[in-house]
Amino acid sequence: YKTVYSEGYPGVTVRSATVDGKTYFYTVNTDAKPRAASVKVEGKLTERTTGYASPAQSNGQWTITLEPYALRVFELDGGKLADISTEKGK
């Protein structure tokens, strides 16, 4: 995994890796407060911890809510991360 976005500590960090044509990424909140990250993706987005597959959005924009100290893991089938931002890191 490589860091593709980081606000520093405390804050939101996103790391990703590509294996066999799939991009895996995780978001982690190192803050004691809830946070959110906005990601723009190309491809089908599935949350690996729940198995929830998000339907395609026309603009590919998703908001990922993160509770304090939360970690969420995602898979992009045949796609990639195009843009990442947070309220703090815009």
Side-chain angles (χ1 to χ4, degrees):
Y1 281 87
K2 67 177 182 174
T3 301
V4 294
Y5 180 86
S6 180
E7 292 179 332
Y9 181 82
V12 174
T13 297
V14 180
R15 293 188 176 111
S16 75
T18 301
V19 178
D20 296 331
K22 294 184 181 183
T23 298
Y24 300 89
F25 71 95
Y26 66 88
T27 56
V28 63
N29 177 11
T30 60
D31 199 338
K33 301 173 191 169
R35 301 295 305 274
S38 177
V39 297
K40 187 167 187 174
V41 299
E42 299 169 3
K44 179 183 169 187
L45 181 67
T46 302
E47 185 165 5
R48 300 303 302 155
T49 50
T50 63
Y52 176 74
S54 299
Q57 292 285 333
S58 60
N59 65 359
Q61 196 73 36
W62 298 100
T63 299
I64 299 168
T65 303
L66 297 160
E67 294 300 320
Y69 309 109
L71 170 75
R72 293 180 69 184
V73 182
F74 299 89
E75 174 186 321
L76 284 170
D77 192 0
K80 65 178 183 173
L81 287 169
D83 187 39
I84 304 163
S85 65
T86 62
E87 189 173 304
K88 181 178 175 182
K90 279 188 175 179

